[in-house]
Amino acid sequence: MHPRDQTIFALSSGRLPSAIAIVRLSGPHAGAALQTLAGKIPPARMATRVMLREHQGEPIDDAVVLWFPGPASATGEDVVELHVHGSRAVIATLFSVLAVTPQLRPAEPGEFTRRAFENGKIDLTEAEGLDDLIHADTDRQRRQALRQLTGLLGDRARSWREQIIQAAALIEAGIDFADEGDVPAELIAPALSRIERLLTDIQSVLSAQGRAERLRDGLTVVIAGPPNAGKSTLMNQLAQREVAIVSPHAGTTRDLIEVQLDLEGYPVTVIDTAGIRETNDPVEQEGVRRARDRAAQADLVLWLAEDDQVAEPQEDVPVWLVRNKIDLPTFEGVGTGLAPSESPLFEISARSGEGLPALLKALVGFARDYFGSTESGLITRERQRTLLSETAAALRRSIAAVNLGEELAAEELRIAGLALGRLLGRVDVEDVLDVIFREFCVGK
Ligand code: GDP
């Protein structure tokens, strides 16, 4: 049996125990399973209270069930939702019954979404948006994922693809006429202007300000500087102050600790590194090496120093010099003389918190500039950017090829359409032929 003909089930809600747990089934045998468990098939799309029972009639739980016959369901297949009490024992009993129900098996990760995609309920960009929405930590991530999920990029890509197919149909019609020794140039001109408009549109999406695709991962700020500068203290302060900490957790190495902050909706990972200084201790050297590596990959380095120290410059990474311990009587309020002229200078007390609001405000500003206007950004993944760039490149080549020969131009359009097809997860070349037959009635 093809895996898609099997009926899958999974716990779709969160960690147990919980007030309510939702078990979902999808596939051709979902209805039969529901019949077995509930003793009846309730009306479609209506919450119905039933006692779920084992095969021998023993009650499992008092549940609310929903029956979504396909294809008008999330996956396009018959879907059942069982809302039960979220205890481990209820789920264990329910699963033991489902596992021995013929044609049922536990779902693989993402399999419901995969079926929705395969059944044409959603395209690939929407599936990506769904995944991002589930993993969204901050409000901005949520909004961006939701735009993706509602098909903002998918709809644009579908409309671009449709236009490419129409342009290709015009050009291919020209080729067909050429076979008969009669090339109607008036077919080429509208095709060309269509392609040019399309290219401008795609290029504007590609060059939209900001790095919307990075909003998924967030930006990385590394706190570096010599030992005892107060890096850990600053880190603790940030972690405590920022009420919306997403998940403080230890880094993968002993000497890198990270916290994730939600700075006005921008996800920011702050990493505290080992003190950077010259040393002969091999263990410490390793820590210093890792700290330098991490700083080199960061989006921003906060170089924490006591008053007379200078920041170690980074290649390609902006560095802000943060002078700490301004509360100490020995601190001299020096000017910017010791900071590299292009680097901003902050003076703080990591211990008392003085100066931190200004630093946080600057960080929010940095994040805002970094991500740009993500509201208008349609691209949220590198995959999407790559495929759109490929589309644009093929469109440019097709414009250049029009004068060399219609076949060449049509071939480039086909490549552009394929790239968009891949973006949407649908690649079928039959489309071009369909449009020719439908709209042009070439008659061959
Ligand atoms: P790290 O080695 O850079 O992580 O530095 P720590 O955060 O461990 O701080 C080193 C020492 O400096 C500790 O004793 C801190 O209490 C102290 N310290 C950190 N920040 C401040 C500050 O703003 N003012 C004062 N007076 N002491 C601080």
Side-chain angles (χ1 to χ4, degrees), residues 226-234 272 304 324-328 348-352:
N228 278 324
K231 297 180 298 297
S232 315
T233 311
L234 174 62
D272 175 18
L304 210 59
N324 190 27
K325 309 193 186 181
I326 56 173
D327 56 298
L328 288 182
I348 63 162
S349 166
R351 180 176 281 172
S352 75

Side-chain angles (χ1 to χ4, degrees), residues 386-400:
T386 307
L387 285 169
L388 272 192
S389 303
E390 278 176 25
T391 310
L395 289 179
R396 268 193 295 276
R397 289 196 304 268
S398 88
I399 292 170

Side-chain angles (χ1 to χ4, degrees), residues 103-296:
Q103 327 287 358
L104 259 59
R105 66 166 169 85
E108 309 275 339
E111 208 175 358
F112 288 91
T113 314
R114 167 125 199 212
R115 288 184 176 200
F117 164 67
E118 283 175 354
N119 292 322
K121 287 280 163 180
I122 52 171
D123 67 42
L124 261 196
T125 67
E126 289 160 355
E128 287 168 338
L130 188 61
D131 188 42
D132 289 348
L133 182 61
I134 288 166
H135 292 106
D137 284 325
T138 76
D139 196 46
R140 278 175 209 277
Q141 288 175 320
R142 175 187 65 77
R143 290 204 300 257
Q144 171 168 296
L146 203 57
R147 287 203 311 274
Q148 189 86 220
L149 173 60
T150 53
L152 222 59
L153 176 63
D155 290 347
R156 282 288 271 286
R158 261 185 295 280
S159 129
W160 290 329
R161 189 151 174 256
E162 183 72 15
Q163 293 173 57
I164 289 176
I165 290 167
Q166 282 167 7
L170 285 167
I171 288 177
E172 304 226 339
I175 297 170
D176 284 332
F177 279 112
D179 286 349
E180 288 143 31
D182 178 22
V183 188
E186 63 272 20
L187 283 178
I188 302 302
L192 202 57
S193 70
R194 215 175 270 227
I195 302 167
E196 278 164 353
R197 265 203 313 276
L198 205 63
L199 183 58
T200 314
D201 205 13
I202 293 178
Q203 268 164 342
S204 77
V205 169
L206 276 171
S207 64
Q209 278 297 306
R211 301 172 219 199
E213 65 254 55
R214 292 291 311 273
L215 194 56
R216 287 177 57 232
D217 309 323
L219 68 78
T220 309
V221 176
V222 162
I223 305 179
N228 278 324
K231 297 180 298 297
S232 315
T233 311
L234 174 62
M235 183 78 166
N236 289 338
Q237 274 279 7
L238 288 174
Q240 283 163 21
R241 229 157 228 269
E242 201 33 64
V243 282
I245 296 168
V246 177
S247 61
H249 53 83
T252 44
T253 61
R254 192 161 46 91
D255 37 29
L256 298 177
I257 312 282
E258 37 178 280
V259 290
Q260 291 181 1
L261 307 181
D262 175 346
L263 285 181
E264 296 192 3
Y266 297 110
V268 177
T269 302
V270 182
I271 301 174
D272 175 18
T273 61
I276 295 182
R277 65 166 171 188
E278 296 314 319
T279 168
N280 291 323
D281 174 1
V283 176
E284 197 182 343
Q285 273 173 351
E286 176 58 18
V288 170
R289 192 189 62 75
R290 286 186 191 166
R292 286 213 169 97
D293 276 2
R294 204 64 195 83

Side-chain angles (χ1 to χ4, degrees), residues 327-338:
D327 56 298
L328 288 182
T330 49
F331 185 88
E332 292 177 18
V334 263
T336 54
L338 294 170

Side-chain angles (χ1 to χ4, degrees), residues 279-415:
T279 168
N280 291 323
D281 174 1
V283 176
E284 197 182 343
Q285 273 173 351
E286 176 58 18
V288 170
R289 192 189 62 75
R290 286 186 191 166
R292 286 213 169 97
D293 276 2
R294 204 64 195 83
Q297 292 160 21
D299 299 303
L300 174 69
V301 171
L302 297 183
W303 190 275
L304 210 59
E306 296 187 44
D307 55 0
D308 61 342
Q309 293 158 331
V310 237
E312 194 170 279
Q314 305 290 315
E315 226 172 281
D316 300 329
V317 183
V319 182
W320 293 358
L321 181 59
V322 182
R323 291 216 183 99
N324 190 27
K325 309 193 186 181
I326 56 173
D327 56 298
L328 288 182
T330 49
F331 185 88
E332 292 177 18
V334 263
T336 54
L338 294 170
S341 54
E342 69 279 12
S343 128
L345 174 79
F346 297 88
E347 294 187 340
I348 63 162
S349 166
R351 180 176 281 172
S352 75
E354 196 183 339
L356 273 182
L359 181 60
L360 278 173
K361 193 163 167 245
L363 280 175
V364 170
F366 182 83
R368 189 178 300 123
D369 289 348
Y370 179 91
F371 290 115
S373 107
T374 50
E375 297 296 320
S376 60
L378 284 184
I379 298 172
T380 57
R381 294 188 186 223
E382 201 51 45
R383 185 189 80 85
Q384 299 163 356
R385 183 171 292 282
T386 307
L387 285 169
L388 272 192
S389 303
E390 278 176 25
T391 310
L395 289 179
R396 268 193 295 276
R397 289 196 304 268
S398 88
I399 292 170
V402 160
N403 296 322
L404 302 173
E406 289 86 359
E407 283 91 348
L408 263 181
E411 174 61 14
E412 294 299 350
L413 286 180
R414 202 183 62 81
I415 293 169

